[in-house]
Amino acid sequence: MRVFKLTLVALAATFAWTAAAEAIEVKKRREAPGKPAEVWAVVGDFCAIKDWHPAVTECEQIEEGGDTFRILTLGDGGKIKEKLTDSDDTSYSYEIIEGPLPVKNYKATLEVGEDDEPDRVEIEWEAEFDADGVEDAEATKIISGIFNDGVTGIKKKAIAAYDKREPAAGNPVSKGRDRSEDEDLN
């Protein structure tokens, strides 16, 4: 009987530890006009974040030990160091190495893909992380706000690129701007 009780206690402790160790997930999406490669050409460089995210004032890209890093300077002077972990034609993944955000074990992917409709893209930014020094809800709120501002900034860049392309092709530019589907999908 004692062995049975110890087994139950061990299982309960394992279950509690596993549940507590589950990472937080945040995902934000927007639809925008354009083709994935065209939108990615405007926003996909690892340091282009300074051009589309309102919180980032500067970005410095550096190489260390064969790895690519970016150092983001925020409007309040804070700095975040991020490591590029993977990339392809229309996406990249990265992790935060150090910075002022209340997160740890942060891994994220930014991607621009085709939408169901022609000449439309889906912008998606997602991350997994653990809260660090704050409750999970607070860390989620902070990262959600950052992502929301980011995908909105990318959408604005996509619309601007579309508006330049369409008149050159003899098409009206209102097609890309007046779409109700461009609202936040998340």
Side-chain angles (χ1 to χ4, degrees), residues 114-175:
E114 288 192 32
D115 187 51
D116 305 6
E117 297 182 39
D119 217 19
R120 309 274 305 158
V121 298
E122 183 177 87
I123 304 155
E124 185 172 283
W125 198 358
E126 63 183 312
E128 287 189 4
F129 55 89
D130 298 316
D132 188 18
V134 299
E135 295 292 323
D136 287 1
E138 181 65 15
T140 299
K141 179 181 173 185
I142 290 168
I143 298 302
S144 291
I146 290 168
F147 282 15
N148 190 56
D149 291 347
V151 294
T152 299
I154 292 172
K155 179 181 174 181
K156 288 178 183 176
K157 291 290 185 180
I159 289 171
Y162 183 89
D163 286 353
K164 284 182 182 177
R165 177 184 67 136
E166 287 302 291
N171 298 324
V173 296
S174 63
K175 178 181 170 194

Side-chain angles (χ1 to χ4, degrees), residues 18-71:
T18 303
E22 196 169 305
I24 300 166
E25 295 181 21
V26 170
K27 183 186 294 187
K28 292 291 177 181
R29 282 184 242 168
R30 290 281 188 289
E31 290 181 4
K35 299 183 184 307
E38 293 171 351
V39 174
W40 195 251
V42 176
V43 302
D45 181 79
F46 198 42
C47 257
I49 190 170
K50 71 183 180 312
D51 300 326
W52 51 262
H53 201 293
V56 179
T57 59
E58 293 178 34
C59 181
E60 177 187 4
Q61 187 167 311
I62 58 174
E63 302 289 325
E64 291 179 1
D67 293 321
T68 302
F69 296 85
R70 65 182 176 194
I71 303 191

Side-chain angles (χ1 to χ4, degrees), residues 64-108:
E64 291 179 1
D67 293 321
T68 302
F69 296 85
R70 65 182 176 194
I71 303 191
L72 308 176
T73 302
L74 307 176
D76 65 2
K79 293 192 182 282
I80 301 173
K81 184 176 184 180
E82 298 175 336
K83 177 183 175 183
L84 182 66
T85 57
D86 194 20
S87 65
D88 65 25
D89 292 343
T90 57
S91 72
Y92 63 71
S93 298
Y94 66 97
E95 58 190 28
I96 292 179
I97 304 301
E98 58 188 52
L101 297 176
V103 297
K104 61 184 177 183
N105 305 318
Y106 176 101
K107 293 176 178 25

